Amino acid sequence: MPPVTRALLYACVAVYLLQANVPLMLDWLALWPPGSGFAPWQLVTYSFLHGGLSHILFNMFGLYMFGSDVERLFGSRFFAQYYLASVVVAALERAVRTILKVKLLLTKNNTRSRFYDSLYA
């Protein structure tokens, strides 16, 4: 197995085990919305958290199956950069969507608010 894929697998499993045994782990590493516990490192650390045994098993299986091939094809450095960029962009998208949802919820009489509420509820 290529080195970056192996390191990501080990890191995810280690954080999963810590998450199960250290209650504050979720508070420190989870991606919280801006203004309610957000910290910059959460743009990366949230990606190592998993919601349950099946969640981590399927994610690690996917990482093993597809990550290995992508890393072999494009190289370890590119794969690590691609993985990190994907994680950060997904976190930023989630943060922006959360901010927009809060702003739209504040304008309850707006018909667009009800439309977006139905999309992201």
Side-chain angles (χ1 to χ4, degrees):
M1 184 179 344
V4 174
T5 302
R6 182 177 39 244
L8 288 170
L9 278 166
Y10 289 160
C12 286
V13 170
V15 170
Y16 178 75
L17 295 173
L18 282 172
Q19 179 185 342
N21 296 309
V22 180
L24 291 177
M25 199 71 151
L26 189 63
D27 293 340
W28 296 330
L29 302 181
L31 181 60
W32 297 103
S36 62
F38 174 78
W41 62 80
Q42 294 170 355
L43 293 173
V44 174
T45 59
Y46 83 95
S47 67
F48 295 100
L49 298 174
H50 291 84
L53 186 59
S54 62
H55 184 201
I56 193 165
L57 288 176
F58 283 113
N59 279 7
M60 295 307 98
F61 179 68
L63 180 60
Y64 170 75
M65 292 295 292
F66 302 111
S68 297
D69 289 342
V70 172
E71 186 175 353
R72 281 189 201 103
L73 183 64
F74 293 110
S76 296
R77 183 181 180 127
F78 176 84
F79 179 65
Q81 292 171 342
Y82 177 75
Y83 191 89
L84 181 63
S86 299
V87 165
V88 172
V89 168
L92 292 172
E93 183 276 333
R94 182 65 182 168
V96 167
R97 192 164 38 134
T98 301
I99 291 169
L100 291 176
K101 183 177 179 180
V102 168
K103 285 184 178 183
L104 289 170
L105 286 174
L106 293 176
T107 58
K108 273 293 194 189
N109 294 331
N110 188 344
T111 56
R112 286 180 51 192
S113 174
R114 288 189 292 274
F115 173 72
Y116 286 113
D117 286 348
S118 66
L119 285 178
Y120 298 119

